[in-house]
Amino acid sequence: MTEKLMPVHKVAKLTGVTARTLHYYDEIGLLKPAAITEAGYRMYDDTALGRLQNILLFRELQFPLKEIKVILDSPDFDPQEALAQQIKLLELQYKHIGELIAFIREIQNKGAAAMNFDVFDKSEIEKYEAEVKARWGNTKAYQEYREKDIARNKDSHDKLANQLMTMFSKLGELKRLTPDADEVQKKISALQQFITNHYYVCTDEILCGLGEMYVCDERFRNNIDKAGGEGTADFVKQAIAIYCNKSHK
């Protein structure tokens, strides 16, 4: 029995995703139709719809399309593991939203005097998102990260996170210089080595991808700018790009 194929307009009606969006997903290689008719119409099967569902779940978690493509195209992508990760992220977000609601109610009852900036901390969510991206984006790097992670506890995690933010703070102090300045480039080299020592082997390719993420992911940008001052994330990204394009080895 031949599997029934569904045209774009029916997929759009079923999923709420516009035909224009489906066409765009096809153009960037994120979601290819199962077949294209002689008239040029895109047709989708259950496999394609399953992939679309995963795309929508990761989009709901605010993953960029580029990163979703890397995850879904990973040779060892496991839908069940991905679902467990999505559930975990949603639970973390649910917890964060609950804390925000409770805080806002406290302000409502006590007035502006009720101050608590801890409720805006999303580091736990960001850490888990980074693990998900590393898991599917670079399997070898992820395995190295997990091996090193076994020996670490929460205190050491916090210590490493603080050390990393200190490095961004130091880079922020160098914004008066150009991104290709020797002093800046030495800091980028130290950043790469720090990631290699404590997380996974940070190749130039991985470092370059991190530089893009520091700017494209609003949460990373905000944290880095908070550590080093406004514009630090952009400055670091530029410095990383220069570093990766140079013959420094």
Side-chain angles (χ1 to χ4, degrees), residues 117 221-230 232:
F117 291 96
R221 177 194 284 270
N222 289 340
N223 283 335
I224 292 171
D225 283 355
K226 182 179 178 181
E230 187 175 356
T232 299

Side-chain angles (χ1 to χ4, degrees), residues 6 16 28 34 38 57 64 81 84 86 89 101 104 106 168-169 178 192 206 211 238 248:
M6 190 177 296
I28 65 175
E38 292 183 1
L57 283 169
E81 184 178 351
Q86 290 161 350
L89 278 169
I101 291 172
I104 292 171
E106 186 179 2
F168 288 127
S169 175
T178 58
Q192 184 181 40
I206 291 176
Q238 294 172 41
H248 53 271

Side-chain angles (χ1 to χ4, degrees), residues 162-246:
N162 289 335
Q163 289 175 355
L164 189 59
M165 287 301 110
T166 297
M167 297 183 85
F168 288 127
S169 175
K170 296 296 184 184
L171 279 161
E173 293 173 3
L174 299 178
K175 290 198 299 290
R176 66 184 186 282
L177 305 176
T178 58
D180 62 349
D182 287 344
E183 191 174 353
V184 176
Q185 290 297 298
K186 287 179 181 177
K187 295 289 185 186
I188 297 301
S189 178
L191 174 65
Q192 184 181 40
Q193 192 59 52
F194 179 86
I195 295 170
T196 294
N197 290 344
H198 299 288
Y199 296 100
Y200 44 78
V201 175
C202 186
T203 63
D204 288 354
E205 182 181 2
I206 291 176
L207 182 64
C208 192
L210 288 173
E212 293 289 339
M213 186 172 66
Y214 292 158
V215 170
C216 295
D217 191 308
E218 186 177 350
R219 291 154 296 185
F220 277 97
R221 177 194 284 270
N222 289 340
N223 283 335
I224 292 171
D225 283 355
K226 182 179 178 181
E230 187 175 356
T232 299
D234 284 305
F235 181 74
V236 171
K237 182 215 170 195
Q238 294 172 41
I240 286 176
I242 293 169
Y243 177 84
C244 292
N245 286 329
K246 284 165 53 177

